Amino acid sequence: MERYDPSTIEAKWQRVWHDEHTWEVSNEPDPRPKGYVLEMLPYTSGEPHIGHLKNYALGDAIAHFWRRTGHRVLHPMGYDAFGLPAENHAIKTGQHPRESTEASIAQFRKDFRSWGISIDWTREFGTHEPRYYRWTQWIFLRLFEQGLAYRKEAAVKWCPNDQTVLANEQVIDGRCERCGFEVEARQLEQWFFRITEYADRLLEDMGRIEWPRHVVTMQENWIGRSEGAEVTFRCEELGIDYPVFTTRPDTLFGATFFVMAPEHPDVFRLNDSPEVHAYVNHALTESVEERGSEHKKKTGVPLGRTVTNPVTGEQIPMFVADYVLMEYGTGAIMAVPAHDERDFEFAQQFGLEIRRVVEPAAGEPAAEDEAFLGHGENERLINSDGFDGMSAPEAMKAITASLEERGLGRPAVSYRLRDWLLSRQRYWGCPIPILYCDSCGMLPVPDDQLPVELPDVHDYAPKGRSPLAAAEDWVNTTCPKCGGEARRETDTMDTFVDSAWYFLRYCDPNNDQAPFDREVLKRWMPVDQYIGGVEHAILHLLYARFFVKALADMGYLDVQEPFARLFTQGMILRDGDKMSKSKGNVVSPMAIVDRYGADTARCYILFIGPPEKDADWSDSGVGGVHRFLSRLWTAAHEAPEGPLEPDGEPTPLLRKAHWATDRVNRDMQANFGFNTAIAAVMELVNEVYRRRETSPASHVRFAIATAGSLIFPFAPHLGAEVYESMTGRRVWEQPWPEADPALLATDEFQLVVQMNGKLIDRIAAPTAASRDQLEEIARGSGKLAARLNGRQIVKAIVVPGKLVNFVVR
RNA sequence: GCCCGGGUGGUGGAAUCUGGUCAGACACUGGGGGCUUAAACCCCCCUGCUCCUCGAGGGCGUGUGGGUUCGAAUCCCACCCCGGGCACCA
């Protein structure tokens, strides 16, 4: 007996799609509405895992659905190829990162093809290819020209043993994660993108895109906009003004001391003692975790200086303490212990004055052993000369205004968002196209000399400087301005730069005059549906939004937001745990594909549950989906001969086919309801088995063809196979099926009869019946009479098409 | 601590937006039957708990406790638990 054999079927259709370039799409004008479906590009280290399968199965379902509902669909693929894992691999094995990366890309490409994902392969690229990163460099230069890429000194962690800069994550308890040496803080020149300049627009424009609420919230929190005031505190002894940012200008009268971050450049100027040096050095080398802990006991050292509180005129003492962060605000704070938990703690530690200036609303108790944080309409000011009795919000405005008059303050906004540090002292990344000439200074590499190609080196190990510094021939070059000697920038770019614009390049991937053509972009951007893991909710998505806004401002493109709609998929778990090699619970997608076929693998992963939620992998569940597809194939194989179009009176099977079409349509248009869509097709196939003996051949054939057509976005090979065997046609060339409303409606329905909200009977009733008629029918229920037991019907609630509820007393 | 999600059978989930068919689609697992020399595959049936007079019977059931309503898994309030994100941001 012949059986469903996915390997033959899948190879057959993949061959057709490949040979006929089925999924390629042209950039030429086209009257159909466009649809740009994009899954986040894979990061090519190692092999595809089950999360990739889910990601691309999701996107492919959307792409197929849109194609068959009349859209011209762009569904491209590429690889995020630069980055640390390939480089670390190179350090270990000596293999060039390009080799391991390209081996990985080859694996991904092969797998995507064997999964039957409908990709326009003519647009494929890796971000490590010069033809791509040439334009990454070009964009960098445009940002540089705009002052949006700049260099400044920043504090970094430095391991004196390994001679390298460490990422914050590589510092464990103040020590190098690799060699255990105590880490030092160093000020080094680093490259930044001025993303903070876009903070407000990144915040506001979230209103223009359809993203999951939690992702929007995460970005909002990350940007962290706070309104308040900048207030100047003057150190009279040194004649220096120190501005601070505060969200609580209403508490200014309660500012009884002043604290600076250890990184503040003026600390040693204020106090050069060994004690201060020791404290600062300790603070700087502390691990992020250590220093970041809210629960840590407050520490600090007095600086022996004072500043003037601008409203009270008091001299208040200055401290250096590590609970103040250099990166936020001005790196110094006014401390109001009565109304800030951290300041309160510090004041207690150091025996400083705690002066309450905001009173709790009448009737509310005022705890003495903690800071009072209230600042609503009901909280009123005290001990604040000239502002007493004002509500906190009033006082914020009034005090700020009065400071502004005296030139000692102004309203201000502060963000938690920091500029994007993009330089990496690493080999496997996009070179930063900048030169340093002794006579001309820092210069951009001229556009016509791009790309600055990554040279081959033999030693990838980090040495404090980028491994590129060792490539003397490459580093030493001539100055494009004066023709003298110049040196290249040896840092490379953060991988996130590469992926901040790749979706633009897909639109115009072979353009060698520009990164993309503005007119071509108009035909595709924005991405209509972006799909990926929630782990990129902040960085990647924020960076991409920033790039698009900056490029739009420069006139290179016409959208403000890259991703109109975003879908974040949940993870596939195993026994409630993340899959990981160390746990030994990894399910390889290829193992599933080999055993059951790509269609089963794809369908199962979509059937397992709502795609946005995490889902637990189940081996037996896969078998169930395979059984379903197999039943569909067998039904087609055994289908009776007959006409293509259903003839004669509607039968239950015909109605079921229309019902399933309707269900799938709703689920596709709603929010990725793929699990229920597949369930509806399962019901249809079950119905075929139940009714194929008793239904007209044309109805059986129609039902099977419909099942093939509906399952196509999820199981494209089998869908195509089944549809072709029923109709002789190619399913992807056929429009998406529409349910016939006449076949969805029925003449009769099961009228539910309730008594006090409890179901007691069901009676067949005409769909067209009026409310009164329905009530009549329900009153006729024998069960009702039996249950009434002499009680009275007080009221009848009629819900047409559904039920009649009798309220009985 | 703050901000998001989420708690439904032995299991994954459906119904939650828009309150309305004894909640439980679809599937897994389990049970029974058929096919087979046998097993696998496949096909069909049953499968929330519980009580009994075993029936087109009764009761109980969507984390807990309240509330709104003719009617609540669905709406509101409080609480408990689980998952995720952020966390000295002045």
Side-chain angles (χ1 to χ4, degrees), chain A residues 300-315:
Chain A
V301 177
L303 290 170
R305 306 269 185 183
T306 61
V307 286
T308 310
N309 179 321
V311 287
T312 64
E314 288 168 296
Q315 293 301 303

mmCIF file of all heavy atoms in Angstrom, chain A residues 300-315:
data_model
loop_
_atom_site.group_PDB
_atom_site.id
_atom_site.type_symbol
_atom_site.label_atom_id
_atom_site.label_comp_id
_atom_site.label_asym_id
_atom_site.label_seq_id
_atom_site.Cartn_x
_atom_site.Cartn_y
_atom_site.Cartn_z
ATOM 1 N N GLY A 300 30.514 56.247 50.853
ATOM 2 C CA GLY A 300 30.917 57.516 50.262
ATOM 3 C C GLY A 300 31.981 58.169 51.123
ATOM 4 O O GLY A 300 32.307 57.666 52.197
ATOM 5 N N VAL A 301 32.539 59.251 50.618
ATOM 6 C CA VAL A 301 33.578 59.965 51.349
ATOM 7 C C VAL A 301 33.281 61.461 51.257
ATOM 8 O O VAL A 301 32.948 61.951 50.179
ATOM 9 C CB VAL A 301 34.974 59.675 50.728
ATOM 10 C CG1 VAL A 301 36.048 60.477 51.434
ATOM 11 C CG2 VAL A 301 35.279 58.193 50.761
ATOM 12 N N PRO A 302 33.378 62.181 52.392
ATOM 13 C CA PRO A 302 33.163 63.624 52.330
ATOM 14 C C PRO A 302 34.299 64.287 51.558
ATOM 15 O O PRO A 302 35.448 63.848 51.625
ATOM 16 C CB PRO A 302 33.190 64.069 53.804
ATOM 17 C CG PRO A 302 33.469 62.864 54.611
ATOM 18 C CD PRO A 302 33.677 61.693 53.731
ATOM 19 N N LEU A 303 33.971 65.320 50.808
ATOM 20 C CA LEU A 303 34.986 65.999 50.021
ATOM 21 C C LEU A 303 35.536 67.214 50.750
ATOM 22 O O LEU A 303 36.457 67.876 50.268
ATOM 23 C CB LEU A 303 34.404 66.411 48.663
ATOM 24 C CG LEU A 303 34.127 65.242 47.708
ATOM 25 C CD1 LEU A 303 33.335 65.715 46.505
ATOM 26 C CD2 LEU A 303 35.431 64.585 47.270
ATOM 27 N N GLY A 304 34.947 67.547 51.883
ATOM 28 C CA GLY A 304 35.448 68.673 52.662
ATOM 29 C C GLY A 304 35.154 70.030 52.028
ATOM 30 O O GLY A 304 35.804 71.023 52.334
ATOM 31 N N ARG A 305 34.231 70.050 51.130
ATOM 32 C CA ARG A 305 33.849 71.298 50.459
ATOM 33 C C ARG A 305 32.343 71.484 50.612
ATOM 34 O O ARG A 305 31.628 70.549 50.974
ATOM 35 C CB ARG A 305 34.158 71.242 48.965
ATOM 36 C CG ARG A 305 35.569 70.889 48.626
ATOM 37 C CD ARG A 305 36.400 72.133 48.504
ATOM 38 N NE ARG A 305 37.755 71.788 48.066
ATOM 39 C CZ ARG A 305 38.724 72.673 47.934
ATOM 40 N NH1 ARG A 305 38.488 73.958 48.199
ATOM 41 N NH2 ARG A 305 39.907 72.301 47.538
ATOM 42 N N THR A 306 31.874 72.661 50.280
ATOM 43 C CA THR A 306 30.434 72.901 50.327
ATOM 44 C C THR A 306 29.975 73.558 49.035
ATOM 45 O O THR A 306 30.776 74.142 48.302
ATOM 46 C CB THR A 306 30.053 73.833 51.493
ATOM 47 O OG1 THR A 306 30.712 75.086 51.308
ATOM 48 C CG2 THR A 306 30.410 73.223 52.843
ATOM 49 N N VAL A 307 28.688 73.439 48.772
ATOM 50 C CA VAL A 307 28.052 74.209 47.696
ATOM 51 C C VAL A 307 26.884 74.972 48.318
ATOM 52 O O VAL A 307 26.417 74.628 49.410
ATOM 53 C CB VAL A 307 27.524 73.328 46.546
ATOM 54 C CG1 VAL A 307 28.664 72.810 45.700
ATOM 55 C CG2 VAL A 307 26.671 72.201 47.073
ATOM 56 N N THR A 308 26.407 75.965 47.596
ATOM 57 C CA THR A 308 25.320 76.788 48.107
ATOM 58 C C THR A 308 23.987 76.264 47.610
ATOM 59 O O THR A 308 23.806 76.071 46.396
ATOM 60 C CB THR A 308 25.470 78.242 47.622
ATOM 61 O OG1 THR A 308 26.806 78.659 47.898
ATOM 62 C CG2 THR A 308 24.471 79.159 48.315
ATOM 63 N N ASN A 309 23.080 76.024 48.534
ATOM 64 C CA ASN A 309 21.721 75.671 48.122
ATOM 65 C C ASN A 309 21.070 76.936 47.565
ATOM 66 O O ASN A 309 20.972 77.939 48.274
ATOM 67 C CB ASN A 309 20.936 75.140 49.328
ATOM 68 C CG ASN A 309 19.506 74.776 48.965
ATOM 69 O OD1 ASN A 309 18.857 75.469 48.183
ATOM 70 N ND2 ASN A 309 19.010 73.680 49.540
ATOM 71 N N PRO A 310 20.674 76.928 46.316
ATOM 72 C CA PRO A 310 20.266 78.171 45.661
ATOM 73 C C PRO A 310 18.980 78.793 46.226
ATOM 74 O O PRO A 310 18.737 79.956 45.975
ATOM 75 C CB PRO A 310 20.066 77.765 44.207
ATOM 76 C CG PRO A 310 19.852 76.300 44.240
ATOM 77 C CD PRO A 310 20.624 75.772 45.404
ATOM 78 N N VAL A 311 18.200 78.073 46.996
ATOM 79 C CA VAL A 311 17.010 78.715 47.563
ATOM 80 C C VAL A 311 17.176 79.078 49.033
ATOM 81 O O VAL A 311 16.654 80.090 49.489
ATOM 82 C CB VAL A 311 15.719 77.875 47.375
ATOM 83 C CG1 VAL A 311 15.275 77.910 45.924
ATOM 84 C CG2 VAL A 311 15.884 76.469 47.880
ATOM 85 N N THR A 312 17.927 78.284 49.772
ATOM 86 C CA THR A 312 18.093 78.609 51.186
ATOM 87 C C THR A 312 19.361 79.415 51.441
ATOM 88 O O THR A 312 19.489 80.043 52.489
ATOM 89 C CB THR A 312 18.180 77.323 52.045
ATOM 90 O OG1 THR A 312 19.355 76.599 51.665
ATOM 91 C CG2 THR A 312 16.968 76.451 51.863
ATOM 92 N N GLY A 313 20.286 79.371 50.500
ATOM 93 C CA GLY A 313 21.553 80.061 50.682
ATOM 94 C C GLY A 313 22.508 79.329 51.611
ATOM 95 O O GLY A 313 23.635 79.751 51.822
ATOM 96 N N GLU A 314 22.068 78.203 52.153
ATOM 97 C CA GLU A 314 22.893 77.424 53.073
ATOM 98 C C GLU A 314 24.094 76.815 52.363
ATOM 99 O O GLU A 314 23.999 76.453 51.189
ATOM 100 C CB GLU A 314 22.079 76.270 53.669
ATOM 101 C CG GLU A 314 21.032 76.669 54.662
ATOM 102 C CD GLU A 314 20.110 75.490 54.958
ATOM 103 O OE1 GLU A 314 19.417 75.045 54.017
ATOM 104 O OE2 GLU A 314 20.103 75.021 56.095
ATOM 105 N N GLN A 315 25.178 76.653 53.101
ATOM 106 C CA GLN A 315 26.322 75.890 52.607
ATOM 107 C C GLN A 315 26.067 74.429 52.973
ATOM 108 O O GLN A 315 25.909 74.093 54.138
ATOM 109 C CB GLN A 315 27.615 76.368 53.266
ATOM 110 C CG GLN A 315 27.991 77.781 52.864
ATOM 111 C CD GLN A 315 28.176 77.905 51.355
ATOM 112 O OE1 GLN A 315 28.978 77.201 50.763
ATOM 113 N NE2 GLN A 315 27.404 78.798 50.736
#
